[in-house]
């Protein structure tokens, strides 16, 4: 049974006290998740320990880092390793968000190394992929995403790929208010699953969770999460507002795929 997930990506937003208040408000909604449903808060590095202890008592509420480095340890001032994340009980990490690819020139190869290190330290990577507007306009989105997956994930064994979460985030929909239609999301998610199936077989492809990201909000979460190959969402802007994110969690809960 694959995981269904509402993941919050706070990015570089909120002071510490604001973050604590937001978490308190969301947890106060007391939403009990189904067996394979998860809420994951990807918070800035300095808030990881606080967030982990806030969610510790809550079943299936988890914390994620937004990034990690592609080397084990050493003279890399300012970077954070997978070993460090593991040592403070972080079980998830976003890898390859489009903002990292765009502003920090992260390549598919570098992301392959990050994914490998995460898994070595028992951290589930939330691997982001997705095409820019120009790629979609030229109709090249399927090949573009296939290459991202092949170059960053297909070095993994079948046992390891099952532990990956993929987030399809069309770059043109991130922070723009433009959401992919349910048809566009379902089509790409089915495509991603078929690429995994082509390499690893049907049974494995069915186990990989694929989240949609790109202007998910309370008003569109329900229909997006209803798509058969959409296993939840990675949410930026709307995850910074408690009322919005609470509704997104409720949409996930209502869409339990049993
Ligand atoms: C994101 O940051 O991953 C994201 C999808 O942002 P937003 O929801 O704001 O588009």
């Amino acid at each position: 049974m694959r995981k269904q997930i509402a993941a919050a990506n706070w990015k570089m937003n909120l002071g510490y006290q604001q973050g604590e208040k937001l978490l308190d408000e969301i947890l106060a909604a007391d939403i009990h998740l189904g067996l394979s449903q998860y809420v994951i808060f990807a918070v800035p590095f300095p808030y990881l320990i606080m967030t982990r202890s806030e969610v510790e008592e809550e079943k299936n509420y988890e914390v994620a880092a937004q990034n990690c480095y592609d080397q084990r340890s050493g003279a890399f001032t300012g970077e954070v390793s997978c070993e460090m994340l593991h040592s403070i009980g972080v079980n998830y990490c976003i890898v390859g968000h489009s903002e990292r690819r765009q502003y920090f020139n992260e390549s598919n190869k570098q992301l392959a190394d990050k994914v490998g290190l995460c898994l070595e330290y028992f951290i589930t990577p939330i691997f982001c992929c997705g095409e820019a507007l120009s790629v979609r306009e030229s109709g090249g989105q399927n090949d573009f995403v296939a290459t991202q997956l092949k170059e960053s994930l297909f070095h993994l064994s079948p046992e390891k790929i099952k532990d990956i979460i993929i987030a399809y985030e069309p770059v043109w929909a991130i922070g723009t208010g433009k959401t992919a239609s349910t048809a566009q999301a379902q089509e790409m998610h089915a495509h991603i699953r078929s690429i995994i199936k082509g390499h690893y077989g049907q049974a494995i492809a069915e186990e990989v969770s694929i989240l949609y990201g790109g202007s998910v909000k309370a008003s569109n979460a329900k229909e997006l999460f209803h798509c058969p190959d959409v296993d939840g969402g990675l949410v930026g802007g709307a995850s910074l507002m408690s009322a919005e994110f609470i509704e997104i969690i409720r949409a996930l809960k209502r869409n339990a795929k049993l």
Side-chain angles (χ1 to χ4, degrees):
M1 175 91 204
R2 55 187 191 244
K3 289 178 177 172
Q4 295 156 49
I5 299 166
N9 178 13
W10 288 6
K11 310 192 188 190
M12 197 177 73
N13 291 300
L14 304 177
Y16 185 83
Q17 290 76 11
Q18 289 171 301
E20 263 190 320
K21 182 169 174 285
L22 178 60
L23 276 176
D24 286 346
E25 287 169 2
I26 293 166
L27 296 177
D30 204 23
I31 303 171
H32 295 261
L33 301 164
L35 205 57
S36 50
Q37 296 184 318
Y38 292 80
V39 170
I40 302 176
F41 295 97
V43 302
F45 288 131
Y47 309 168
L48 282 169
I49 291 180
M50 171 277 283
T51 308
R52 203 212 51 208
S53 59
E54 285 254 350
V55 302
E56 217 155 36
E57 304 289 299
E58 313 286 336
K59 189 172 155 283
N60 292 5
Y61 283 72
E62 294 273 353
V63 59
Q66 297 175 10
N67 185 32
C68 60
Y69 199 46
D70 61 7
Q71 301 292 317
R72 278 197 168 68
S73 65
F76 302 105
T77 303
E79 293 297 336
V80 172
S81 70
C82 289
E83 184 181 13
M84 291 170 184
L85 295 174
H86 175 61
S87 72
I88 56 166
V90 172
N91 298 326
Y92 295 85
C93 182
I94 297 178
V95 172
H97 191 279
S98 66
E99 289 150 15
R100 301 287 322 169
R101 293 175 187 264
Q102 186 181 348
Y103 303 130
F104 302 93
N105 298 319
E106 295 192 352
S107 65
N108 290 343
K109 161 75 182 75
Q110 188 181 10
L111 298 175
D113 293 342
K114 290 190 181 196
V115 164
L117 276 174
C118 280
L119 291 169
E120 224 177 275
Y121 286 95
F122 309 102
I123 295 168
T124 300
I126 302 172
F127 176 78
C128 300
C129 58
E131 79 288 353
L133 185 60
S134 57
V135 176
R136 174 144 301 248
E137 282 174 346
S138 68
Q141 66 272 17
N142 284 0
D143 288 346
F144 185 87
V145 170
T147 301
Q148 288 181 318
L149 298 177
K150 283 176 190 155
E151 293 186 358
S152 297
L153 298 184
F154 282 11
H155 62 294
L156 299 173
S157 66
E159 290 68 40
K160 293 283 183 201
I161 193 102
K162 283 194 298 196
D163 294 335
I164 298 279
I165 295 164
I166 293 174
Y168 168 59
E169 299 208 304
V171 179
W172 47 271
I174 298 178
T176 58
K178 276 190 203 162
T179 315
S181 66
T182 49
Q184 285 171 321
Q186 170 55 30
E187 195 184 350
M188 180 57 88
H189 283 228
H191 171 62
I192 291 171
R193 212 175 291 289
S194 79
I195 299 167
I196 301 170
K197 180 179 160 190
H199 197 75
Y200 292 99
Q202 169 105 20
I204 301 244
E206 285 302 325
E207 285 196 47
V208 176
S209 299
I210 309 174
L211 314 184
Y212 168 78
S215 300
V216 175
K217 38 190 180 273
S219 59
N220 60 22
K222 192 170 160 236
E223 55 174 4
L224 283 163
F225 295 173
H226 196 61
C227 298
D229 284 294
V230 176
D231 303 308
L234 178 55
V235 187
S239 74
L240 300 173
M241 293 170 275
S242 53
E244 279 283 313
F245 197 59
I246 286 167
E247 281 314 307
I248 290 168
I249 300 172
R250 291 204 170 110
L252 185 87
K253 189 171 162 70
R254 277 196 293 268
N255 262 298
K257 290 168 184 156
L258 299 171

